[in-house]
PDB file of all heavy atoms in Angstrom:
ATOM      1  N   ASP B  20       8.079   0.445   8.146  1.00 95.00           N
ATOM      2  CA  ASP B  20       8.740  -0.006   9.367  1.00 95.00           C
ATOM      3  C   ASP B  20      10.027  -0.686   8.943  1.00 95.00           C
ATOM      4  O   ASP B  20      10.051  -1.847   8.568  1.00 95.00           O
ATOM      5  CB  ASP B  20       7.839  -0.985  10.132  1.00 95.00           C
ATOM      6  CG  ASP B  20       8.412  -1.327  11.515  1.00 95.00           C
ATOM      7  OD1 ASP B  20       9.644  -1.248  11.683  1.00 95.00           O
ATOM      8  OD2 ASP B  20       7.629  -1.721  12.359  1.00 95.00           O
ATOM      9  N   ASN B  21      11.121   0.081   8.970  1.00 93.00           N
ATOM     10  CA  ASN B  21      12.394  -0.461   8.500  1.00 93.00           C
ATOM     11  C   ASN B  21      12.920  -1.601   9.354  1.00 93.00           C
ATOM     12  O   ASN B  21      13.594  -2.476   8.896  1.00 93.00           O
ATOM     13  CB  ASN B  21      13.404   0.666   8.397  1.00 93.00           C
ATOM     14  CG  ASN B  21      13.089   1.649   7.283  1.00 93.00           C
ATOM     15  OD1 ASN B  21      12.472   1.293   6.283  1.00 93.00           O
ATOM     16  ND2 ASN B  21      13.503   2.890   7.477  1.00 93.00           N
ATOM     17  N   ALA B  22      12.551  -1.576  10.634  1.00 93.00           N
ATOM     18  CA  ALA B  22      12.980  -2.663  11.521  1.00 93.00           C
ATOM     19  C   ALA B  22      12.358  -3.975  11.117  1.00 93.00           C
ATOM     20  O   ALA B  22      12.948  -5.062  11.292  1.00 93.00           O
ATOM     21  CB  ALA B  22      12.631  -2.350  12.969  1.00 93.00           C
ATOM     22  N   LYS B  23      11.130  -3.908  10.558  1.00 94.00           N
ATOM     23  CA  LYS B  23      10.411  -5.116  10.109  1.00 94.00           C
ATOM     24  C   LYS B  23      10.519  -5.321   8.610  1.00 94.00           C
ATOM     25  O   LYS B  23       9.954  -6.240   8.080  1.00 94.00           O
ATOM     26  CB  LYS B  23       8.951  -5.030  10.506  1.00 94.00           C
ATOM     27  CG  LYS B  23       8.718  -5.044  12.025  1.00 94.00           C
ATOM     28  CD  LYS B  23       7.231  -5.008  12.312  1.00 94.00           C
ATOM     29  CE  LYS B  23       7.002  -5.069  13.831  1.00 94.00           C
ATOM     30  NZ  LYS B  23       5.556  -5.049  14.168  1.00 94.00           N
ATOM     31  N   ASN B  24      11.276  -4.420   7.941  1.00 94.00           N
ATOM     32  CA  ASN B  24      11.415  -4.493   6.464  1.00 94.00           C
ATOM     33  C   ASN B  24      10.035  -4.577   5.799  1.00 94.00           C
ATOM     34  O   ASN B  24       9.830  -5.397   4.896  1.00 94.00           O
ATOM     35  CB  ASN B  24      12.253  -5.711   6.064  1.00 94.00           C
ATOM     36  CG  ASN B  24      13.735  -5.428   6.106  1.00 94.00           C
ATOM     37  OD1 ASN B  24      14.174  -4.292   6.315  1.00 94.00           O
ATOM     38  ND2 ASN B  24      14.529  -6.459   5.938  1.00 94.00           N
ATOM     39  N   THR B  25       9.127  -3.720   6.197  1.00 96.00           N
ATOM     40  CA  THR B  25       7.767  -3.790   5.717  1.00 96.00           C
ATOM     41  C   THR B  25       7.240  -2.400   5.359  1.00 96.00           C
ATOM     42  O   THR B  25       7.473  -1.442   6.072  1.00 96.00           O
ATOM     43  CB  THR B  25       6.843  -4.447   6.748  1.00 96.00           C
ATOM     44  OG1 THR B  25       7.332  -5.733   7.096  1.00 96.00           O
ATOM     45  CG2 THR B  25       5.433  -4.587   6.221  1.00 96.00           C
ATOM     46  N   LEU B  26       6.514  -2.365   4.240  1.00 97.00           N
ATOM     47  CA  LEU B  26       5.835  -1.177   3.769  1.00 97.00           C
ATOM     48  C   LEU B  26       4.312  -1.424   3.934  1.00 97.00           C
ATOM     49  O   LEU B  26       3.859  -2.553   3.700  1.00 97.00           O
ATOM     50  CB  LEU B  26       6.135  -0.939   2.298  1.00 97.00           C
ATOM     51  CG  LEU B  26       5.600   0.285   1.595  1.00 97.00           C
ATOM     52  CD1 LEU B  26       6.305   1.542   2.135  1.00 97.00           C
ATOM     53  CD2 LEU B  26       5.789   0.171   0.103  1.00 97.00           C
ATOM     54  N   TYR B  27       3.594  -0.393   4.342  1.00 98.00           N
ATOM     55  CA  TYR B  27       2.158  -0.529   4.595  1.00 98.00           C
ATOM     56  C   TYR B  27       1.373   0.510   3.788  1.00 98.00           C
ATOM     57  O   TYR B  27       1.867   1.579   3.463  1.00 98.00           O
ATOM     58  CB  TYR B  27       1.838  -0.319   6.072  1.00 98.00           C
ATOM     59  CG  TYR B  27       2.521  -1.267   7.018  1.00 98.00           C
ATOM     60  CD1 TYR B  27       3.671  -0.889   7.720  1.00 98.00           C
ATOM     61  CD2 TYR B  27       2.017  -2.550   7.223  1.00 98.00           C
ATOM     62  CE1 TYR B  27       4.298  -1.763   8.570  1.00 98.00           C
ATOM     63  CE2 TYR B  27       2.639  -3.452   8.095  1.00 98.00           C
ATOM     64  CZ  TYR B  27       3.783  -3.031   8.753  1.00 98.00           C
ATOM     65  OH  TYR B  27       4.408  -3.898   9.617  1.00 98.00           O
ATOM     66  N   LEU B  28       0.107   0.137   3.539  1.00 98.00           N
ATOM     67  CA  LEU B  28      -0.845   1.120   2.986  1.00 98.00           C
ATOM     68  C   LEU B  28      -2.143   0.929   3.750  1.00 98.00           C
ATOM     69  O   LEU B  28      -2.838  -0.074   3.570  1.00 98.00           O
ATOM     70  CB  LEU B  28      -1.057   0.933   1.495  1.00 98.00           C
ATOM     71  CG  LEU B  28      -1.966   1.984   0.866  1.00 98.00           C
ATOM     72  CD1 LEU B  28      -1.259   3.348   0.855  1.00 98.00           C
ATOM     73  CD2 LEU B  28      -2.336   1.581  -0.578  1.00 98.00           C
ATOM     74  N   GLN B  29      -2.438   1.881   4.617  1.00 98.00           N
ATOM     75  CA  GLN B  29      -3.703   1.884   5.355  1.00 98.00           C
ATOM     76  C   GLN B  29      -4.739   2.587   4.481  1.00 98.00           C
ATOM     77  O   GLN B  29      -4.540   3.731   4.072  1.00 98.00           O
ATOM     78  CB  GLN B  29      -3.571   2.590   6.692  1.00 98.00           C
ATOM     79  CG  GLN B  29      -4.871   2.698   7.480  1.00 98.00           C
ATOM     80  CD  GLN B  29      -5.362   1.324   7.941  1.00 98.00           C
ATOM     81  OE1 GLN B  29      -4.570   0.518   8.419  1.00 98.00           O
ATOM     82  NE2 GLN B  29      -6.661   1.099   7.842  1.00 98.00           N
ATOM     83  N   MET B  30      -5.818   1.886   4.169  1.00 98.00           N
ATOM     84  CA  MET B  30      -6.868   2.423   3.316  1.00 98.00           C
ATOM     85  C   MET B  30      -8.172   2.505   4.075  1.00 98.00           C
ATOM     86  O   MET B  30      -8.695   1.491   4.510  1.00 98.00           O
ATOM     87  CB  MET B  30      -7.036   1.534   2.063  1.00 98.00           C
ATOM     88  CG  MET B  30      -5.727   1.293   1.314  1.00 98.00           C
ATOM     89  SD  MET B  30      -5.934   0.393  -0.224  1.00 98.00           S
ATOM     90  CE  MET B  30      -6.436  -1.199   0.424  1.00 98.00           C
ATOM     91  N   ASN B  31      -8.642   3.730   4.272  1.00 98.00           N
ATOM     92  CA  ASN B  31      -9.902   3.957   4.978  1.00 98.00           C
ATOM     93  C   ASN B  31     -10.945   4.552   4.041  1.00 98.00           C
ATOM     94  O   ASN B  31     -10.621   5.109   2.999  1.00 98.00           O
ATOM     95  CB  ASN B  31      -9.657   4.920   6.149  1.00 98.00           C
ATOM     96  CG  ASN B  31      -8.671   4.372   7.156  1.00 98.00           C
ATOM     97  OD1 ASN B  31      -8.612   3.152   7.414  1.00 98.00           O
ATOM     98  ND2 ASN B  31      -7.873   5.247   7.741  1.00 98.00           N
ATOM     99  N   ASN B  32     -12.206   4.463   4.471  1.00 98.00           N
ATOM    100  CA  ASN B  32     -13.319   5.004   3.676  1.00 98.00           C
ATOM    101  C   ASN B  32     -13.190   4.574   2.212  1.00 98.00           C
ATOM    102  O   ASN B  32     -13.248   5.412   1.293  1.00 98.00           O
ATOM    103  CB  ASN B  32     -13.329   6.539   3.780  1.00 98.00           C
ATOM    104  CG  ASN B  32     -14.591   7.144   3.216  1.00 98.00           C
ATOM    105  OD1 ASN B  32     -15.604   6.459   3.072  1.00 98.00           O
ATOM    106  ND2 ASN B  32     -14.508   8.417   2.864  1.00 98.00           N
ATOM    107  N   LEU B  33     -13.039   3.291   2.004  1.00 98.00           N
ATOM    108  CA  LEU B  33     -12.839   2.785   0.660  1.00 98.00           C
ATOM    109  C   LEU B  33     -14.060   2.995  -0.203  1.00 98.00           C
ATOM    110  O   LEU B  33     -15.214   2.942   0.285  1.00 98.00           O
ATOM    111  CB  LEU B  33     -12.482   1.290   0.700  1.00 98.00           C
ATOM    112  CG  LEU B  33     -11.013   1.039   1.098  1.00 98.00           C
ATOM    113  CD1 LEU B  33     -10.837  -0.387   1.607  1.00 98.00           C
ATOM    114  CD2 LEU B  33     -10.116   1.303  -0.095  1.00 98.00           C
ATOM    115  N   LYS B  34     -13.804   3.210  -1.487  1.00 98.00           N
ATOM    116  CA  LYS B  34     -14.871   3.465  -2.439  1.00 98.00           C
ATOM    117  C   LYS B  34     -14.787   2.408  -3.558  1.00 98.00           C
ATOM    118  O   LYS B  34     -13.723   1.863  -3.805  1.00 98.00           O
ATOM    119  CB  LYS B  34     -14.688   4.867  -3.063  1.00 98.00           C
ATOM    120  CG  LYS B  34     -14.658   5.987  -2.044  1.00 98.00           C
ATOM    121  CD  LYS B  34     -14.412   7.318  -2.694  1.00 98.00           C
ATOM    122  CE  LYS B  34     -14.389   8.464  -1.670  1.00 98.00           C
ATOM    123  NZ  LYS B  34     -14.138   9.774  -2.297  1.00 98.00           N
ATOM    124  N   PRO B  35     -15.895   2.154  -4.253  1.00 97.00           N
ATOM    125  CA  PRO B  35     -15.852   1.183  -5.363  1.00 97.00           C
ATOM    126  C   PRO B  35     -14.787   1.511  -6.384  1.00 97.00           C
ATOM    127  O   PRO B  35     -14.176   0.568  -6.944  1.00 97.00           O
ATOM    128  CB  PRO B  35     -17.267   1.282  -5.941  1.00 97.00           C
ATOM    129  CG  PRO B  35     -18.112   1.667  -4.783  1.00 97.00           C
ATOM    130  CD  PRO B  35     -17.264   2.619  -3.975  1.00 97.00           C
ATOM    131  N   GLU B  36     -14.488   2.753  -6.610  1.00 96.00           N
ATOM    132  CA  GLU B  36     -13.457   3.133  -7.591  1.00 96.00           C
ATOM    133  C   GLU B  36     -12.054   2.838  -7.104  1.00 96.00           C
ATOM    134  O   GLU B  36     -11.102   3.000  -7.875  1.00 96.00           O
ATOM    135  CB  GLU B  36     -13.594   4.624  -7.972  1.00 96.00           C
ATOM    136  CG  GLU B  36     -13.628   5.572  -6.799  1.00 96.00           C
ATOM    137  CD  GLU B  36     -15.057   5.973  -6.434  1.00 96.00           C
ATOM    138  OE1 GLU B  36     -15.940   5.071  -6.398  1.00 96.00           O
ATOM    139  OE2 GLU B  36     -15.254   7.156  -6.119  1.00 96.00           O
ATOM    140  N   ASP B  37     -11.888   2.405  -5.859  1.00 98.00           N
ATOM    141  CA  ASP B  37     -10.590   1.958  -5.382  1.00 98.00           C
ATOM    142  C   ASP B  37     -10.302   0.492  -5.778  1.00 98.00           C
ATOM    143  O   ASP B  37      -9.191   0.010  -5.512  1.00 98.00           O
ATOM    144  CB  ASP B  37     -10.502   2.106  -3.860  1.00 98.00           C
ATOM    145  CG  ASP B  37     -10.568   3.549  -3.391  1.00 98.00           C
ATOM    146  OD1 ASP B  37      -9.910   4.404  -4.034  1.00 98.00           O
ATOM    147  OD2 ASP B  37     -11.240   3.808  -2.383  1.00 98.00           O
ATOM    148  N   THR B  38     -11.306  -0.176  -6.332  1.00 98.00           N
ATOM    149  CA  THR B  38     -11.120  -1.564  -6.731  1.00 98.00           C
ATOM    150  C   THR B  38     -10.006  -1.653  -7.768  1.00 98.00           C
ATOM    151  O   THR B  38     -10.019  -0.971  -8.790  1.00 98.00           O
ATOM    152  CB  THR B  38     -12.418  -2.113  -7.323  1.00 98.00           C
ATOM    153  OG1 THR B  38     -13.402  -2.165  -6.293  1.00 98.00           O
ATOM    154  CG2 THR B  38     -12.212  -3.500  -7.897  1.00 98.00           C
ATOM    155  N   ALA B  39      -9.016  -2.508  -7.477  1.00 98.00           N
ATOM    156  CA  ALA B  39      -7.855  -2.626  -8.348  1.00 98.00           C
ATOM    157  C   ALA B  39      -6.912  -3.710  -7.795  1.00 98.00           C
ATOM    158  O   ALA B  39      -7.115  -4.198  -6.676  1.00 98.00           O
ATOM    159  CB  ALA B  39      -7.079  -1.327  -8.444  1.00 98.00           C
ATOM    160  N   VAL B  40      -5.921  -4.062  -8.587  1.00 98.00           N
ATOM    161  CA  VAL B  40      -4.791  -4.854  -8.089  1.00 98.00           C
ATOM    162  C   VAL B  40      -3.767  -3.847  -7.596  1.00 98.00           C
ATOM    163  O   VAL B  40      -3.385  -2.933  -8.354  1.00 98.00           O
ATOM    164  CB  VAL B  40      -4.210  -5.750  -9.164  1.00 98.00           C
ATOM    165  CG1 VAL B  40      -3.014  -6.514  -8.588  1.00 98.00           C
ATOM    166  CG2 VAL B  40      -5.266  -6.736  -9.661  1.00 98.00           C
ATOM    167  N   TYR B  41      -3.349  -4.006  -6.363  1.00 98.00           N
ATOM    168  CA  TYR B  41      -2.380  -3.083  -5.764  1.00 98.00           C
ATOM    169  C   TYR B  41      -1.001  -3.738  -5.762  1.00 98.00           C
ATOM    170  O   TYR B  41      -0.861  -4.895  -5.330  1.00 98.00           O
ATOM    171  CB  TYR B  41      -2.796  -2.710  -4.347  1.00 98.00           C
ATOM    172  CG  TYR B  41      -3.946  -1.713  -4.308  1.00 98.00           C
ATOM    173  CD1 TYR B  41      -5.237  -2.110  -4.718  1.00 98.00           C
ATOM    174  CD2 TYR B  41      -3.725  -0.404  -3.959  1.00 98.00           C
ATOM    175  CE1 TYR B  41      -6.286  -1.189  -4.722  1.00 98.00           C
ATOM    176  CE2 TYR B  41      -4.781   0.528  -3.966  1.00 98.00           C
ATOM    177  CZ  TYR B  41      -6.028   0.120  -4.352  1.00 98.00           C
ATOM    178  OH  TYR B  41      -7.066   1.036  -4.350  1.00 98.00           O
ATOM    179  N   PHE B  42       0.003  -2.952  -6.177  1.00 98.00           N
ATOM    180  CA  PHE B  42       1.367  -3.444  -6.295  1.00 98.00           C
ATOM    181  C   PHE B  42       2.286  -2.637  -5.412  1.00 98.00           C
ATOM    182  O   PHE B  42       2.228  -1.409  -5.376  1.00 98.00           O
ATOM    183  CB  PHE B  42       1.857  -3.326  -7.738  1.00 98.00           C
ATOM    184  CG  PHE B  42       1.101  -4.145  -8.713  1.00 98.00           C
ATOM    185  CD1 PHE B  42      -0.020  -3.627  -9.341  1.00 98.00           C
ATOM    186  CD2 PHE B  42       1.499  -5.433  -9.029  1.00 98.00           C
ATOM    187  CE1 PHE B  42      -0.740  -4.384 -10.282  1.00 98.00           C
ATOM    188  CE2 PHE B  42       0.789  -6.206  -9.961  1.00 98.00           C
ATOM    189  CZ  PHE B  42      -0.338  -5.682 -10.577  1.00 98.00           C
ATOM    190  N   CYS B  43       3.153  -3.335  -4.745  1.00 97.00           N
ATOM    191  CA  CYS B  43       4.214  -2.715  -3.966  1.00 97.00           C
ATOM    192  C   CYS B  43       5.439  -2.483  -4.862  1.00 97.00           C
ATOM    193  O   CYS B  43       5.714  -3.319  -5.747  1.00 97.00           O
ATOM    194  CB  CYS B  43       4.574  -3.630  -2.808  1.00 97.00           C
ATOM    195  SG  CYS B  43       5.927  -3.112  -1.769  1.00 97.00           S
ATOM    196  N   ASN B  44       6.135  -1.396  -4.634  1.00 97.00           N
ATOM    197  CA  ASN B  44       7.309  -1.055  -5.456  1.00 97.00           C
ATOM    198  C   ASN B  44       8.417  -0.515  -4.545  1.00 97.00           C
ATOM    199  O   ASN B  44       8.175   0.213  -3.601  1.00 97.00           O
ATOM    200  CB  ASN B  44       6.917   0.003  -6.482  1.00 97.00           C
ATOM    201  CG  ASN B  44       8.106   0.535  -7.245  1.00 97.00           C
ATOM    202  OD1 ASN B  44       8.690   1.571  -6.894  1.00 97.00           O
ATOM    203  ND2 ASN B  44       8.460  -0.145  -8.318  1.00 97.00           N
ATOM    204  N   ALA B  45       9.662  -0.906  -4.888  1.00 96.00           N
ATOM    205  CA  ALA B  45      10.836  -0.400  -4.166  1.00 96.00           C
ATOM    206  C   ALA B  45      11.859   0.060  -5.206  1.00 96.00           C
ATOM    207  O   ALA B  45      12.082  -0.601  -6.211  1.00 96.00           O
ATOM    208  CB  ALA B  45      11.464  -1.518  -3.314  1.00 96.00           C
ATOM    209  N   ARG B  46      12.429   1.256  -4.970  1.00 95.00           N
ATOM    210  CA  ARG B  46      13.345   1.829  -5.927  1.00 95.00           C
ATOM    211  C   ARG B  46      14.625   2.296  -5.215  1.00 95.00           C
ATOM    212  O   ARG B  46      14.586   2.854  -4.133  1.00 95.00           O
ATOM    213  CB  ARG B  46      12.694   3.061  -6.598  1.00 95.00           C
ATOM    214  CG  ARG B  46      11.590   2.733  -7.532  1.00 95.00           C
ATOM    215  CD  ARG B  46      10.924   4.028  -8.014  1.00 95.00           C
ATOM    216  NE  ARG B  46      10.191   4.709  -6.966  1.00 95.00           N
ATOM    217  CZ  ARG B  46      10.566   5.834  -6.403  1.00 95.00           C
ATOM    218  NH1 ARG B  46      11.681   6.429  -6.764  1.00 95.00           N
ATOM    219  NH2 ARG B  46       9.828   6.394  -5.464  1.00 95.00           N
ATOM    220  N   ARG B  47      15.733   2.030  -5.870  1.00 94.00           N
ATOM    221  CA  ARG B  47      17.011   2.532  -5.411  1.00 94.00           C
ATOM    222  C   ARG B  47      17.948   2.618  -6.606  1.00 94.00           C
ATOM    223  O   ARG B  47      18.206   1.611  -7.243  1.00 94.00           O
ATOM    224  CB  ARG B  47      17.625   1.622  -4.324  1.00 94.00           C
ATOM    225  CG  ARG B  47      18.890   2.199  -3.679  1.00 94.00           C
ATOM    226  CD  ARG B  47      19.488   1.240  -2.677  1.00 94.00           C
ATOM    227  NE  ARG B  47      20.077   0.091  -3.336  1.00 94.00           N
ATOM    228  CZ  ARG B  47      20.615  -0.953  -2.691  1.00 94.00           C
ATOM    229  NH1 ARG B  47      20.597  -0.961  -1.359  1.00 94.00           N
ATOM    230  NH2 ARG B  47      21.147  -1.950  -3.348  1.00 94.00           N
TER     231      ARG B  47
END
């Protein structure tokens, strides 16, 4: 949402193997 300057990650049907530290990244 560029108007809110926000990046999202919707995660559904999560599994134990999704366990991790999640990092946001921006590149230009």
Side-chain angles (χ1 to χ4, degrees):
D20 187 336
N21 291 331
K23 295 183 178 180
N24 276 353
T25 304
L26 183 70
Y27 301 100
L28 185 68
Q29 178 67 43
M30 306 185 293
N31 299 326
N32 190 20
L33 282 160
K34 303 176 180 181
E36 51 263 43
D37 294 318
T38 295
V40 178
Y41 285 71
F42 297 88
C43 176
N44 173 265
R46 291 174 290 109
R47 186 183 71 183

